[in-house]
Amino acid sequence: MKAGSQRRSILLVYTAILGALSIVLSTIRVSFPLGNPNLGSTPVSIAGVTTPGAVAFIVGIIKGLGVSLWTGQALLEFPAGIGDGIMALFTLWLSKKINAVVAVVIGQVSRYLFTSGMIALVLGTAVSVDLSLPGASLLFSKITSAAPWFSPVGLPPLLSNIAMVWVAMIPAITASIVANAVLSGAVVAALKRFYPTILNKP
């Protein structure tokens, strides 16, 4: 087998394994005071420090698609998968400049922007322009009920709805970031100690 074909085969296996893990770990929820986050973005973070950009992003997409199918909440989970994929690309970029453990922790924190932002953008837009997507209004109401005190003043309806979703998600995404940052950091620290050649080098 030629070296190029062998590398593609290995990357395909990595993609499949990390993608499957992201779906499986999404079913594991951790009890936190701020919510019950799942651990699905940990394999996406790991992809960000061990694989090329295309693989890292695809793992996030697999997570979004897979979790959408088993939860039936595509309006929430698919944008989250895209956001996590962007987070993985950001983590990849960081990992080539700084310590990999620090990179995955900062990458997880970036989910405030990438993951929450993508969900808020998609759901806020769907509600604002009345795309008649099944469950959009109900999901919007459920999420924004977490922040009844927040009412953006002076913003156009579209921006207002996006802002409402983003702010309302802060407690849940914070819990998710904490749980996944701890697990991602521990896994990458173990890889750095026992299998350092797999990690991107600063």
Side-chain angles (χ1 to χ4, degrees), residues 73-182:
Q73 292 189 321
L75 265 178
L76 178 64
E77 298 297 348
F78 189 63
I82 295 173
D84 280 357
I86 297 172
M87 176 272 292
L89 293 176
F90 178 61
T91 302
L92 170 64
W93 178 77
L94 282 176
S95 72
K96 293 182 177 180
K97 298 179 179 298
I98 59 175
N99 181 286
V101 177
V102 179
V104 295
V105 172
I106 295 175
Q108 281 291 328
V109 173
S110 76
R111 293 175 63 220
Y112 279 118
L113 174 63
F114 299 128
T115 305
S116 288
M118 188 61 68
I119 293 170
L121 178 64
V122 170
L123 184 57
T125 301
V127 171
S128 299
V129 302
D130 190 22
L131 296 178
S132 299
L133 296 173
S137 296
L138 182 61
L139 183 60
F140 178 83
S141 298
K142 182 179 179 180
I143 290 176
T144 55
S145 67
W149 46 268
F150 180 71
S151 179
V153 177
L155 290 178
L158 173 60
L159 295 180
S160 175
N161 286 337
I162 291 172
M164 286 172 66
V165 174
W166 189 85
V167 169
M169 289 186 62
I170 288 176
I173 195 67
T174 298
S176 179
I177 286 169
V178 171
N180 284 281
V182 169

Side-chain angles (χ1 to χ4, degrees), residues 49-50 191-192 194-201:
V49 295
T50 60
L191 290 174
K192 187 175 181 181
F194 299 108
Y195 193 17
T197 57
I198 198 173
L199 298 175
N200 297 321
K201 299 296 185 293

